[in-house]
Amino acid sequence: MTRPTRTFYGLRHGATDWNRQGLFQGRTDNPLNEDGLRQAHEAASMLRGVGISRIVASPLVRALKTAEIIAEAISVPLTIDAGIIEFDFGSFEGLPVRDLMIRHDVRSATGLVSILPTDGENWDAMTERALASVSTWLDRHPDDDILFVCHDAVMQAIANALCGSYFKNSHGTPFRYVCKDAQWHVEQLVT
């Protein structure tokens, strides 16, 4: 499995109406709602002065709009990369997350991954494509501090692959994936 070798930043896009309704969103290309736009602007304020020099965004409109707001505010280049597009939840898309977790008696992210439908994307394949995308950008731009603006499933898959666990991720909240002495951890950016 491809793995990045240095620290980078990740940010889940601002909220959409489907997020607020607790629905699996996946590849459904929903726009940010008012909360999501506010979260994107707040993230931009938090990221001023952090040293981000490049942003890579998922092509889905909710991530791209979030990234555009941040890139404009901190005056850095923005590139789109489908390698960090959201997980394809297949027949789960548009369904309530909580209802499916109750129906399948799962209470954690690990449990949720175990019940994903076979008509969607393979979780391990998504993890590999996301890690490959991040690694490629970090290798291509060794002097840049890069922010990847993407999606919860992508960020969780990367965290689990690098750190061995999932984490609490919120819309528009910047995180740093830190590599120190070949060990990884995820930390919320606090300014």
Side-chain angles (χ1 to χ4, degrees):
M1 181 176 286
T2 306
R3 289 179 174 267
T5 56
R6 66 182 178 91
T7 298
F8 61 95
Y9 297 84
L11 182 119
R12 182 182 187 185
H13 60 81
T16 69
D17 287 344
W18 277 29
N19 291 131
R20 291 298 177 236
Q21 295 166 22
L23 305 176
F24 281 101
Q25 193 160 218
R27 299 282 176 85
T28 304
D29 205 7
N30 293 317
L32 297 175
N33 61 21
E34 289 302 314
D35 284 343
L37 290 167
R38 178 186 46 76
Q39 291 161 344
H41 286 284
E42 288 172 355
S45 294
M46 287 182 68
L47 289 165
R48 278 192 184 92
V50 169
I52 302 294
S53 50
R54 179 174 303 277
I55 298 175
V56 178
S58 159
L60 295 177
V61 69
R62 59 192 184 267
L64 183 55
K65 182 64 176 176
T66 301
E68 287 170 347
I69 289 167
I70 296 167
E72 182 178 335
I74 64 174
S75 300
V76 299
L78 167 63
T79 307
I80 298 169
D81 187 337
I84 57 172
I85 196 170
E86 179 61 304
F87 183 73
D88 180 350
F89 287 100
S91 57
F92 276 14
E93 294 213 10
L95 299 178
V97 175
R98 184 171 171 75
D99 290 357
L100 286 167
M101 290 180 76
I102 290 168
R103 182 180 318 146
H104 293 277
D105 195 30
V106 298
R107 294 175 177 83
S108 67
T110 302
L112 189 58
V113 168
S114 74
I115 66 165
L116 293 171
T118 57
D119 65 348
E121 189 172 8
N122 175 278
W123 186 262
D124 292 336
M126 181 271 294
T127 302
E128 177 58 31
R129 78 163 156 78
L131 286 168
S133 173
V134 168
S135 296
T136 297
W137 281 101
L138 293 172
D139 291 347
R140 190 180 300 157
H141 299 280
D143 297 326
D144 283 343
D145 284 329
I146 302 176
L147 170 66
F148 295 89
V149 179
C150 53
H151 309 274
D152 188 40
V154 172
M155 291 177 67
Q156 297 294 353
I158 291 170
N160 193 47
L162 297 177
C163 308
S165 63
Y166 299 107
F167 68 103
K168 178 154 176 45
N169 192 2
S170 300
H171 294 99
T173 302
F175 288 88
R176 185 183 293 121
Y177 291 72
V178 179
C179 182
K180 185 172 183 180
D181 301 324
Q183 298 295 314
W184 285 92
H185 70 276
V186 178
E187 61 188 29
Q188 183 174 333
L189 211 61
V190 179
T191 57

